Amino acid sequence: RAKERGRNRYEFFTAEINERVQQRIMLESRLRLAVLRSEFVLHYQPIVEAGGRRPVALEALLRWRQPDGTLVGPGHFICVAEEVGLIGEIGAWVIETAIRETADLFGKEASAPRVAVNVSPRQLRDPSFVFRVTEALAAHGLPPSRLELEITEGVLMDEAPEVTDALHRLCSYGVRLSIDDFGTGYSSLSYLQRYPFDMLKIDRCFVSNATDGAAAARLVETIIMMAHGLGMETIAEGVETEEQFDFLQSKGCDQMQGYLLGHPAPLAEIAARFPAADAPSARPLETVTGDG
Ligand code: C2E
Ligand code: MG
Ligand code: MG
Ligand code: MG
């Protein structure tokens, strides 16, 4: 009987693994089609100045609009796109689109809001990456300082020389670099001196704990002080309450991002909230709702 039960379990796991493999293969082929059919759109989430709450940047967040109208978030497909080698093509589309839409929305003045774009490890290792970025900026007349590239620290783990090289070249070109999700994954403080980051994004998990206890609060305060000490600005991610906002502001955090300040939204909605494209940072943001 024990043997029989063992076999049943074995068959059960095999069936489950088969199903997962099938789903992976289906997702992969649907993704390839999505690239061919341009089924991607960008949503944008405001990043505001701590004092005054004026928008200083928008973060571009990728969505996959499937033929039936369903919007799929990046958490469901970025990993697969990286594994099957589609991220280069998707990422190039994201950068080009984010630059074009931002130039259309806010104009080409150096002082208008920036656009922040997330970048995957695979993209940075591609020798044509830096060229593509500078070409897209030039094509749309956007000053390099209006583009911010967000890099997750895990990415830098492998210390690939081409990654270091790409980051230094982008930095000397005037593109701004930020370290995303700081404090999660493979944190290493040595990255902060090895790579030319302009900003540090404090991960949401620290922000949500910050107002819960003295130790968590000191941790956030210390991260902000350290970033400033190294000449970086700080952005808090996932700010959802006024209490979190006030706390972070009192500790000197420079910029805030999160549902409190605005959900990611389609370009049309963002454009409606910033009617005067010529006078961007004219009025404070109201809290709005939208999709996550
Ligand atoms: P991220 O770069 O850390 O982006 C912030 C994520 O937090 C976004 O999720 C955003 O919708 C969500 N968020 C913003 N404010 C709040 C808040 O107040 N509370 C909570 N609970 N969540 C909030 P999203 O859009 O699902 O993106 C997930 C991740 O996918 C991003 O994390 C980013 O690493 C990656 N990603 C997004 N777009 C791209 C892209 O174009 N290329 C690449 N390579 N990765 C991307
Ligand atoms: Mg990001
Ligand atoms: Mg990111
Ligand atoms: Mg993040």
Side-chain angles (χ1 to χ4, degrees), residues 167-181:
L167 293 180
H168 283 281
R169 276 158 64 208
L170 288 162
C171 173
S172 20
Y173 192 72
V175 170
R176 300 175 65 121
L177 302 174
S178 42
I179 185 162
D180 203 354
D181 309 326

Side-chain angles (χ1 to χ4, degrees), residues 253-270:
C253 184
D254 304 284
Q255 292 163 23
M256 315 273 184
Q257 178 180 12
Y259 295 164
L260 176 71
L261 296 321
H263 286 243
L267 184 71
E269 212 174 289
I270 295 286

Side-chain angles (χ1 to χ4, degrees), residues 33 57 83 241 274:
L33 267 181
E83 281 171 31
T241 67
F274 299 91

Side-chain angles (χ1 to χ4, degrees), residues 59-61 116-119 150-152 178 180-181 201 237 257:
E59 178 170 359
L61 294 160
V117 176
N118 292 282
V119 169
E150 297 193 358
I151 296 136
T152 301
S178 42
D180 203 354
D181 309 326
K201 298 191 77 168
E237 301 192 89
Q257 178 180 12

Side-chain angles (χ1 to χ4, degrees), residues 11-229:
E11 282 167 359
F12 173 74
F13 282 128
T14 316
E16 194 179 279
I17 289 166
N18 272 338
E19 199 185 310
R20 270 199 223 146
V21 169
Q22 291 294 322
Q23 280 178 356
R24 243 310 283 273
I25 292 169
M26 266 169 54
L27 177 58
E28 182 180 333
S29 61
R30 277 166 50 228
L31 255 185
R32 288 189 191 283
L33 267 181
V35 172
L36 291 174
R37 295 176 180 159
S38 320
E39 290 174 358
F40 298 101
V41 287
L42 294 181
H43 282 193
Y44 293 92
Q45 185 180 30
I47 297 174
V48 310
E49 225 172 43
R53 303 199 181 191
R54 280 190 287 225
V56 286
L58 295 175
E59 178 170 359
L61 294 160
L62 183 61
R63 269 86 182 108
W64 172 10
R65 193 167 48 205
Q66 300 192 327
D68 67 359
T70 321
L71 269 193
V72 181
H76 297 278
F77 63 87
I78 286 283
C79 263
V80 175
E82 282 175 4
E83 281 171 31
V84 304
L86 285 170
I87 195 67
E89 214 169 323
I90 296 173
W93 177 86
V94 170
I95 288 184
E96 210 273 333
T97 306
I99 289 173
R100 176 170 42 79
E101 293 184 339
T102 303
D104 288 349
L105 186 63
F106 291 122
K108 298 165 187 182
E109 293 294 319
S111 60
R114 301 184 303 269
V115 65
V117 176
N118 292 282
V119 169
S120 282
R122 288 280 287 267
Q123 287 174 269
L124 285 172
R125 276 191 223 108
D126 178 345
S128 65
F129 179 76
V130 177
F131 178 72
R132 285 201 201 182
V133 170
T134 57
E135 279 286 278
L137 286 167
H140 299 286
L142 201 74
S145 62
R146 295 271 306 280
L147 176 66
E148 185 179 319
L149 297 178
E150 297 193 358
I151 296 136
T152 301
E153 25 179 1
V155 169
L156 307 169
M157 270 303 281
D158 56 15
E159 293 183 40
E162 59 266 41
V163 171
T164 317
D165 183 56
L167 293 180
H168 283 281
R169 276 158 64 208
L170 288 162
C171 173
S172 20
Y173 192 72
V175 170
R176 300 175 65 121
L177 302 174
S178 42
I179 185 162
D180 203 354
D181 309 326
F182 182 79
T184 64
Y186 312 89
S187 303
S188 162
L189 295 179
S190 68
Y191 294 150
L192 297 180
Q193 62 177 147
R194 197 176 317 141
Y195 301 102
F197 290 113
D198 302 283
M199 329 208 219
L200 180 154
K201 298 191 77 168
I202 304 167
D203 192 74
R204 190 170 77 219
C205 66
F206 298 107
V207 171
S208 57
N209 290 333
T211 47
D212 292 349
R218 267 201 302 275
L219 185 57
V220 169
E221 188 177 359
T222 307
I223 294 174
I224 294 170
M225 276 166 47
M226 178 195 65
H228 287 168

